[in-house]
Each structure stands twice: as C-alpha cells, then as structure tokens.
Amino acid sequence: MPPVIQVSAVRKTYGATVAVDEVSFAVNEGEIFGLIGPNGAGKTTTMECIEGLRTPDRGAISVLGLNPFSDVYKLQERIGIQLQEAQLQKRIKVWEAVDLWASLYRKKRIDGERLLEQLGLIDKRNAWFMNLSGGQKQRLFIALALINDPELVFLDELTTGLDPQARRAIWDLVRGIRSRGKTVFLTTHLMEEAERLCDRVAIIEHGRIIDIDTPQSLVNRHCPERTVVLATDDGSAAERFRTIPRVDAVTCSDSQFTIRGRGDDLVTEVIQCLSENRIRVTDFRTILPNLEDVFLKLTGHSIRD
Amino acid sequence: MMLRGLWKLTWIELKIFLREPLGAFGTIAIPVLVFVVTGRIVGHREPSASLAASNFISVGLPVLASVLITISAVLSLVTIISIYREGGILKRLRATPLRPQTILTAHVVVKLLLTAATLVLMVLVGKRYYPVGIHVPLFGFTLALLISTCSILSMGFLIASIVPTARFAQPIGAVILYPMIGISGLFAPVAALPPALQVVARVVPLTYAVSLLEGIWKGDAWSAHLGDVGALALVFIACTALSAKVFRWQ
C-alpha cells in the first residue's frame, strides 16, 4: 500500500530564515503519526505545506496521491484540518459552524448533530463561539475537521493550553479517529502526548528531521539506560548489585541505593538478585527514560528550553 | 460548483452581523435618524429657503446620506476582513474547499443587503417626515447606488488587502474615503474648486458616484451619465484585479 503522505526533501524559507530543510518522511494508512519538536522547530510549516496552505521552495509532497498545491481543492475534500490557534467568528453558534462546514463539501458527510453528541458539545449547540471554553473550542475544531468524513486528519498542537483532564479526553477522541480507520498526522511539543498517542513519531529540530520511529524504539535506541532505586538495610547489598550483568554504577546514600545499567532486562535482573539473596527491601521503583530524554540526548537541550 | 457554500455563508454572516452590539441599530437606524433630523433642522431654519438650500435638502442631502451609508458599509467590510485575517478566521475558512472569492462575495452581499435595507427605510421614513417630499425614480436610483457601491467596495477590498491590522483598517479607510466627499461635487460643483483639487476630484471615483446619484435622483436619463458609469466600472475592475493580486489570507 502506498503511503498516505510522502514528503521528499522539502525546504521552505521565510526571507533569510530557513524554516524547514531536507525534510523527508512517509505516513502510512491508519496510523497516528506525530511530528514532535520545540516551538519554532518547523512543525507547523511542514504541516501547512502538506495541507496545501503553503508552497515549499523545493522538494516534493504527495498526499493521498494528490499534489497539495495543484490539486488543493480536490485534496481539501478528502482531508480534515485543525489549525493551531485558529478562531471562528465570535458570534457564530456551534451548530451554525458545523452546518456551514458541512455545506462546503461535495461528498457525503457525517451527521453534524451526531458528531456534536460524540464530542460532548450537544448542550452547547446554540452557544456563541466566543463563549466556549478552550476545551470546547478545540472539540468544535475537531468536529469541523471530521465533518467531511476525511481519510486523513491533521491536528496541529491540539491540546496546547488545555488542562490535563481536557487533554486526556481529547486523546481518547484522537484514538477514536484512528479506530475508524483514518490516518492522523499531528504535531505536538508535549512528549507525553506523543508517547501516549502516536504510533510513530518524527523528531524535528531547527527545521530538520533528526530521527523517525515508534516512541519505544526511539527510547531503546537512544536511551538504553535504566535506573532502579531501592531502599534496604542489608549491608552486603551493594556488593551483590555490582555483580548483576550490564550494571554500570551503584551508588548509595544512607540506605537508599541507585542502580544504573542498560537494557530492558535490568529491572528483571535486579529483582532476581534480590530474591536469590533474600535481600529485604522497603522501597523499590524504576526510572525509565522517555521521549523527553531522547530529545535531550539528540539535541543536547530539553524540549522546554 | 465554484461558489459552493455561498448562500449559507452569506446567511450566517448576516446573522452574525446583526448579533453585534449596535449591529442592526447602528447600521440601519442611526443613519436614517440622522438623515431625517438633519433634513428637518435645515428645512425649518430656511422655511422657504434660497434655491441652493432647497436644492441641498431635496437632492444633496439624500445623496450625501446614501454616500455615507455606502462608505460606512465599506469601512465595516474593511474592518471585518482584517479582523478575520488577524484572528485566523480567514485561514480556517481557507483550509476547506471554500474558494476565496466565495468568502468575499458573501461579505459583499451582506453589505449590499444592509445598505439596501437602510435606504429603503430612509425613503419610507423620508416620505412621512422629510420636509421635502421624496419623489425619486426608485429603481433607477437603486441601480445607480448598486453601481456606486460596488465601485467603492472594490476600493475597500484594496484597502483591506494592504492594511496590516484591524486597528488601522477603520482609520486608514476613513482617512482615504471621507475626504473624497468634500471634493466630490456634493457641496460645491467640481468646476468651482481650485484647479489642483479639480484634478484630484477627476481621479477620485466618488466624484463620479455623486454625479451619477445626483443625476438619477433628479430624474436625468441614464444616457447623460454613461461617462460616470464607465468611470465607476473602470475603478471596480482595476481595484478588484489589483486586490486579487495583493490579497493576503493570513
């Protein structure tokens, strides 16, 4: 099956600033693909080139087999877009927006009222846009992005500015989109969001893609370190821990031990060591690397900086 | 179809406009009130008035009111387009199969409808309360106003295309449009202006709009104003073409 999105060596500049350069990747049908990176890394520019809203200076893009620049109206019929920091008319009512959007598409579309119901907006159908909360606005934008029953959905910084509860609710909605067989392309600067939501991610910084893979593979490849922190009064513990394979360091302060090593088996090995030597522990926890650590490792700075 | 969604967008934009605080009242009621009250004040002061004064009441003031309504419609259009651009609303609308010209057309239709409603009200109220009876070739005048409005609206497009932010839209529009009234021939014949201003007046499209509106209001034949219509059409074509080139959607 050909990829849903194929991006090859795309470059886009604004004056003297190079926004994205040599960006290449492919998105497969039915996956949630995340473009992750700090603000200003080129996420939105890349996404808007794919959506046909911007024209790249160089490179080739194919979306659903169409050229997003020459076939922009054909493409818009088949995709759904949620833009970062978009607004609607202040005094447009929720149902009017859905009704208007539904009238813009040629093809069959889904029932707007049902969509509002699914997104928990049915109580707000007569509310003005300006009176909606941040989470409600985002859900309305998701509704508008889904109104034409698109094959491919674009979500740009979907949960920025939302509280954790609203964020989780939106994540469930996005998973729901995937389970209906659609492809989702999203950008985020929230590593937790990427980790929990995306099947595959591309890390972008300074307009260039650094690596692409599943979140787990990225972590395994770039951050194999594992850390176990435990507390025990056993005097011989430190000696025993040092004999575990692939342990790099054991440090101890008071009765708390920190065991650093590499590989997925480290935690199991530590537990085995504890049980074989009948070491009694009063506390036990693991510190596992995540995408945040991958980003730090690859770029030398935190994504929040 | 190229203009898919036009009717629905127009209808929604009309409703949205009327929901604005002072939307309907400010656009429709206030101009009519000002028109009638001014007419009565001027009319009372000069009971059987000089020829110039009565000419102003019977022709000048109605035309001035029409022009003001048109200009305020244009300013409102300029403001709305720049607010929509600044707020990302245009961008969101663009990320659909909606064509740019559909969005603009919808707003123009809304403005024309509101302008028409105001003028109809002005004529109706004027028949009852205006000091001089209003006997006007309504169809002809409406057509003349439509031509003038389209022409002035196209200047609005151009301003809306160039003006950077909503905050500047209204003042810049006002600075460009309102002074045109002064030299448009409404208050003094163009021929009576200083030569330098005459040159400006001949370039300014409002001059042709005023000449057309005054003429048709007084009952002139259209054949006497073909030059005005031609000039207004030329402005419309030039401004529309130019603004299509320079229009920024975000």
Side-chain angles (χ1 to χ4, degrees):
Chain A
M1 204 180 302
V4 171
I5 301 173
Q6 180 79 58
V7 177
S8 317
V10 162
R11 176 187 167 93
K12 174 78 184 171
T13 55
Y14 300 117
T17 316
V18 180
V20 297
D21 200 9
E22 287 298 317
V23 164
S24 302
F25 59 86
V27 177
N28 301 317
E29 190 172 333
E31 72 175 342
I32 300 180
F33 185 91
L35 192 57
I36 64 175
N39 293 327
K43 301 191 294 292
T44 299
T45 297
T46 307
M47 185 177 254
E48 291 184 352
C49 284
I50 300 171
E51 292 164 344
L53 298 181
R54 290 183 195 279
T55 318
D57 305 334
R58 274 215 298 269
I61 301 178
S62 155
V63 185
L64 298 167
L66 297 170
N67 177 330
F69 322 110
S70 51
D71 301 325
V72 61
Y73 292 110
K74 244 189 235 170
L75 180 63
Q76 295 297 344
E77 289 280 345
R78 296 172 62 188
I79 64 176
I81 295 178
Q82 175 263 326
L83 294 167
Q84 189 182 355
E85 286 167 3
Q87 294 290 325
L88 292 181
Q89 295 90 326
K90 279 183 182 174
R91 290 176 175 79
I92 195 169
K93 290 179 180 174
V94 168
W95 76 266
E96 288 171 340
V98 172
D99 189 38
L100 172 63
W101 252 253
S103 75
L104 302 180
Y105 294 89
R106 190 190 309 266
K107 55 180 268 195
K108 71 172 172 73
R109 53 255 180 179
I110 34 188
D111 181 3
E113 294 292 311
R114 245 193 88 205
L115 198 55
L116 287 181
E117 212 160 294
Q118 285 169 352
L119 291 168
L121 281 173
I122 201 75
D123 296 341
K124 290 278 165 195
R125 67 185 297 283
N126 287 315
W128 288 351
F129 178 77
M130 63 189 280
N131 294 333
L132 299 179
S133 72
Q136 288 163 345
K137 283 181 185 169
Q138 285 300 43
R139 277 182 280 153
L140 175 56
F141 281 123
I142 296 180
L144 299 183
L146 296 178
I147 193 73
N148 59 327
D149 197 21
E151 297 155 63
L152 168 62
V153 183
F154 291 91
L155 307 170
D156 194 1
E157 293 283 355
L158 185 61
T159 63
T160 300
L162 298 187
D163 59 62
Q165 201 187 346
R167 187 169 288 158
R168 264 160 237 277
I170 301 258
W171 289 347
D172 283 339
L173 289 173
V174 176
R175 290 191 194 101
I177 299 173
R178 176 181 54 189
S179 69
R180 288 200 289 277
K182 324 233 175 262
T183 308
V184 178
F185 181 89
L186 61 84
T187 70
T188 183
H189 68 280
L190 301 169
M191 293 293 128
E192 192 197 356
E193 181 162 285
E195 216 152 12
R196 294 200 178 205
L197 207 51
C198 296
D199 299 310
R200 288 195 307 135
V201 298
I203 299 177
I204 185 169
E205 206 207 22
H206 299 314
R208 285 171 181 272
I209 302 266
I210 306 177
D211 204 353
I212 306 176
D213 214 328
T214 66
Q216 194 55 54
S217 304
L218 285 174
V219 171
N220 289 345
R221 186 182 319 149
H222 297 288
C223 298
E225 304 85 8
R226 301 287 182 272
T227 303
V228 174
V229 178
L230 55 83
T232 177
D233 294 329
D234 195 312
S236 65
E239 254 344 284
R240 309 272 188 209
F241 294 150
R242 290 205 175 88
T243 63
I244 298 172
R246 285 189 297 283
V247 163
D248 296 330
V250 177
T251 56
C252 170
S253 73
D254 294 334
S255 59
Q256 178 161 303
F257 290 82
T258 304
I259 305 161
R260 287 179 225 279
R262 264 167 298 147
D264 277 342
D265 292 335
L266 183 79
V267 180
T268 316
E269 302 270 9
V270 170
I271 292 172
Q272 260 169 14
C273 171
L274 291 173
S275 90
E276 275 167 19
N277 297 294
R278 296 179 177 282
I279 299 170
R280 189 175 163 275
V281 296
T282 53
D283 188 14
F284 187 98
R285 62 196 154 90
T286 58
I287 301 173
L288 304 179
N290 54 28
L291 274 182
E292 200 119 21
D293 301 301
V294 173
F295 191 84
L296 182 65
K297 185 92 151 235
L298 287 177
T299 66
H301 63 85
S302 160
I303 193 160
R304 293 160 209 267
D305 291 347
Chain B
M1 192 183 81
M2 209 180 77
L3 295 182
R4 179 182 300 277
L6 174 62
W7 170 236
K8 195 148 261 170
L9 185 62
T10 307
W11 177 231
I12 287 178
E13 290 294 353
L14 185 63
K15 287 197 281 184
I16 290 172
F17 186 79
L18 295 177
R19 282 173 199 157
E20 299 265 346
L22 289 180
F25 186 73
T27 322
I28 299 175
I30 289 183
V32 174
L33 275 176
V34 169
F35 165 67
V36 171
V37 170
T38 315
R40 288 183 83 89
I41 292 171
V42 178
H44 278 296
R45 239 177 234 164
E46 317 241 345
S48 57
S50 62
L51 189 66
S54 83
N55 191 45
F56 180 71
I57 296 169
S58 60
V59 180
L61 196 53
V63 170
L64 175 64
S66 314
V67 167
L68 285 177
I69 291 164
T70 302
I71 287 182
S72 86
V74 172
L75 290 181
S76 163
L77 178 88
V78 170
T79 310
I80 288 176
I81 295 288
S82 39
I83 288 175
Y84 277 22
R85 185 197 293 127
E86 228 176 319
I89 299 169
L90 281 184
K91 193 176 170 189
R92 185 60 194 89
L93 286 169
R94 197 181 167 210
T96 65
L98 194 60
R99 309 281 167 134
Q101 52 270 45
T102 310
I103 303 173
L104 281 177
T105 310
H107 282 281
V108 170
V109 172
V110 168
K111 292 298 157 210
L112 288 178
L113 283 175
L114 288 168
T115 306
T118 315
L119 286 162
V120 165
L121 197 65
M122 199 171 97
V123 169
L124 289 179
V125 174
K127 279 199 165 147
R128 177 78 180 76
Y129 296 107
Y130 202 64
V132 189
I134 294 181
H135 309 285
V136 59
L138 206 52
F139 177 76
F141 188 71
T142 308
L143 190 63
L145 196 65
L146 193 71
I147 294 170
S148 306
T149 305
C150 283
S151 184
I152 298 171
L153 272 173
S154 70
M155 289 164 60
F157 282 172
L158 199 53
I159 298 170
S161 311
I162 301 164
V163 166
T165 67
R167 211 161 357 131
F168 290 110
Q170 191 98 21
I172 288 182
V175 161
I176 295 175
L177 291 174
Y178 281 122
M180 288 189 193
I181 300 175
I183 53 168
S184 64
L186 248 180
F187 302 107
V190 172
L193 293 171
L197 277 184
Q198 277 192 41
V199 174
V200 181
R202 300 240 174 272
V203 181
V204 164
L206 203 62
T207 310
Y208 301 98
V210 165
S211 161
L212 177 67
L213 290 169
E214 274 189 341
I216 300 298
W217 184 275
K218 281 190 289 197
D220 285 2
W222 278 86
S223 54
H225 292 281
L226 287 181
D228 296 332
V229 175
L232 291 171
L234 201 67
V235 169
F236 177 75
I237 292 165
C239 286
T240 310
L242 200 57
S243 63
K245 275 223 185 310
V246 296
F247 204 92
R248 291 174 309 146
W249 291 97
Q250 47 181 297

